[in-house]
Amino acid sequence: MTSPDLPQRALGRQGLRVGAVGLGCMGFSEFYGDAASRAAVDGVTVIRHALDRGLTLLDTADMYGPHVNEELVGRAVRGRRDDAVIATKFGIVRKADDPLYRGVDGRPEYVRAACEGSLRRLGVETIDLYYVHRRDKTIAIEETVGAMARLVEEGKVRFLGLSEVSAETLRRAHAVHPISALQSEWSLWTRDWEQTTFPVARALGVGLVPYSPLGRGFLTGAISAQTAFDPSDYRHTHPRFVGENRAANLHIVDALRVIATARACTPAQVALAWVLSRGDDVVPIPGTTRAERIDENADAGYLGLGAAELAQLEAAAAPTAVAGERFPAGMQAFVDT
């Protein structure tokens, strides 16, 4: 059931509606923290708590784990399917014998095979929102989206999305089949798409789903210049978290703290409220593995920021005010710019 405290928002013009804040589920399986800490988390309970608070959009992908994240989401929605909007993604390929390998596949035959695998792992008959995780630049986007459109016709998928794509790719995809959601990294320290793909998405009526709206945890205020990450933590070598870059970026957190203190809330809630203030077509999906953070994120859904507060944040976090690239070089190559 959806909490009356968390309003709903529309993604696209095709009828998809979700809670104004969603849940990024990736962290339950890998990339953040160490394996022992993740193993101690009861992911099913946390995800169901998110549903209780009205965070209806659950975001996963076949490559998270790989595969085990979808299985977790499937267990969590069992018996509560009507409460959840399941979003999953395909296109990034991994190898069991090489944990560091990343490939991309957008071939029509792969689209179908990937979808069948996700349906099986999730234990559902239909995926609510199916994304291209990364565009395969060797395959025309029309072919990839055409295969996805056939899945919609067959009832295996309800709505289509794209992740990290250029304005041109979005236009071409939308001409094949309506795109309901565009997922891209967006936060006070990642504003790359604001002058490129986002205006096109809005012109086409495509909803915006920001991932990492809390800057991979940096904007929560919990990370200092002295914070040491586990070697298995993705941020251990992330350009914005290392050396002088991290220290240089702390000024953004300082600005969040000033507003948070005045509003008796947390820096994370201010950062999330900023993303939500960007428009009613925006549904951020902060990731967490803790129930108390679910509550914190849900409460940010109706915090609201005034014009003066927004101006303060704009002054501290202009698009060019961040030190370090948002991806290591290897991952940046997969972004469709």
Side-chain angles (χ1 to χ4, degrees), residues 5 16 25 48 51 56 76 104 141 160 163 167 171 174 186-188 194 222 257 275 300 302-303 318:
D5 291 335
L16 178 58
C25 297
R48 288 178 177 171
L51 295 176
T56 59
V104 180
I141 192 63
L160 302 186
S163 178
R171 284 194 193 95
H174 193 75
W186 195 15
S187 71
L188 273 167
E194 290 182 358
R257 282 202 178 98
V275 176
Y302 52 96
L303 175 63

Side-chain angles (χ1 to χ4, degrees), residues 6 8-9 12 27 38 52 56 71 96 102 111-112 114 119 131 154-155 176 217 237 249 265 274 286 293 308 331:
L6 190 60
Q8 295 238 323
R9 290 185 169 187
R38 287 193 298 271
D52 291 340
T56 59
E71 294 170 354
R102 300 289 186 274
V111 175
R112 178 168 293 278
L119 287 168
Y131 288 103
E154 295 168 13
V176 175
T237 56
N249 289 326
C265 64
W274 179 87
R293 294 290 176 250
M331 286 301 294

Side-chain angles (χ1 to χ4, degrees), residues 180-202:
S180 297
L182 170 70
Q183 184 174 138
S184 297
E185 185 175 358
W186 195 15
S187 71
L188 273 167
W189 81 341
T190 298
R191 304 179 62 181
D192 308 49
W193 303 101
E194 290 182 358
Q195 304 303 317
T196 55
T197 308
F198 287 173
V200 172
R202 283 179 157 151

